[in-house]
Amino acid sequence: MKLLYFAWVRAKIGIGEETVSPPAEIRDVAGLIDWLKARGAGGADAFADLSLIKVAVNQDYVELDHPVAAGDEVAFFPPVTGG
Amino acid sequence: MIRVQQEDFDLAAELKAMTDGNHQIGGLTSFVGLVRDIAGGETVSAMTLEHYPGMTEKQLAEIEDEANRRWPLDASLIIHRHGRLEPGDQIVLVACASAHREAAFEACHFLIDWLKTKAPFWKLEDTPDGGKWVDARSSDDAAAARWAES
């Protein structure tokens, strides 16, 4: 599974992307976030307030109950500020 | 058409290319977003626009498809820049061409409102206190929400 981080989420995690193999019981975005928070490396800080986090799976916006699986591209980022 | 690029764009040349040879077009509207030198009371000397390559193009294409579904457009164009920009620089261009003005005006307004809440770009401003990530504004969400179909 490929994880991508953007803007201040990237700054807090410390890297822009990584490839991970979460345990099989991680089945949705919320579970993945809990796993990343417990792992350390800035995860607890980056995901402290989930109201500030947007999630995309395979480049489409999703909610926290959206399933995730091996091979997915999952991105975490703040609300967008383009235009 | 969608373009995501670092380079600047030439407004007149882009608009001419949209309408050249199509004499069905009676109205052409455009919106250009510029970098301001002040934000939230602080001086901004420059900004860096980060984006999510791949998802940016996908989201912009979906937004453009939606505009073409709702309004009878002869041509539409979205250009969004990324990288380092300074006050006065052009950030974004949205342009719509149609037989009549109403569709051109409304589709252009819709595109910029939706783009601001859906396209994955983030602004990092250089201020006297250092780099500062721009916060999303609830007024932008409200502007996009008014285009929701009932």
Side-chain angles (χ1 to χ4, degrees):
Chain A
M1 186 182 298
K2 185 176 173 187
L3 305 184
L4 299 172
Y5 310 107
F6 293 96
W8 56 254
V9 178
R10 171 175 50 70
K12 289 186 174 187
I13 298 277
I15 51 172
E17 74 174 78
E18 61 178 325
T19 301
V20 298
S21 303
E25 63 264 28
I26 305 293
R27 296 176 194 282
D28 61 15
V29 171
L32 180 61
I33 289 174
D34 285 342
W35 182 70
L36 290 168
K37 286 169 79 169
R39 196 187 55 160
D45 187 20
F47 296 111
D49 182 354
L50 292 184
S51 71
L52 300 177
I53 299 289
K54 299 286 184 187
V55 186
V57 172
N58 300 324
Q59 304 186 353
D60 282 317
Y61 288 101
V62 299
E63 301 296 327
L64 294 176
D65 60 357
H66 189 87
V68 293
D72 280 348
E73 177 177 299
V74 185
F76 299 98
F77 46 80
V80 302
T81 56
Chain B
M1 186 191 291
I2 302 296
R3 297 217 311 268
V4 181
Q5 62 189 43
Q6 271 194 285
E7 313 83 69
D8 198 9
F9 51 83
D10 179 339
L11 177 62
E14 298 295 346
L15 298 186
K16 186 170 189 310
M18 282 178 74
T19 54
D20 252 2
N22 185 344
H23 299 151
Q24 306 291 313
I25 295 171
L28 171 63
T29 58
S30 64
F31 172 86
V32 177
L34 306 173
V35 180
R36 291 188 300 164
D37 64 359
I38 198 142
E42 279 198 281
T43 308
V44 176
S45 55
M47 68 163 61
T48 303
L49 265 155
E50 177 175 335
H51 77 116
Y52 179 176
M55 182 169 174
T56 302
E57 289 81 356
K58 183 175 183 180
Q59 292 296 319
L60 291 179
E62 286 180 8
I63 294 165
E64 186 185 40
D65 285 349
E66 181 67 18
N68 278 275
R69 189 180 69 75
R70 294 194 193 192
W71 290 278
L73 302 180
D74 289 280
S76 53
L77 174 65
I78 304 174
I79 300 176
H80 205 304
R81 297 178 67 193
H82 61 90
R84 189 173 187 280
L85 300 171
E86 295 181 348
D89 283 350
Q90 304 183 114
I91 306 175
V92 62
L93 165 64
V94 175
C96 292
S98 186
H100 302 289
R101 68 183 179 281
E102 189 176 23
F105 270 126
E106 288 185 1
C108 190
H109 200 168
F110 164 84
L111 281 174
I112 189 64
D113 280 352
W114 264 39
L115 177 159
K116 284 188 85 81
T117 60
K118 289 195 185 288
F121 286 92
W122 303 274
K123 292 180 179 135
L124 178 65
E125 292 175 339
D126 292 350
T127 76
D129 300 329
K132 194 175 270 189
W133 291 102
V134 174
D135 285 328
R137 291 150 54 118
S138 55
S139 58
D140 288 336
D141 287 332
R146 95 179 108 150
W147 298 102
E149 288 180 309
S150 51

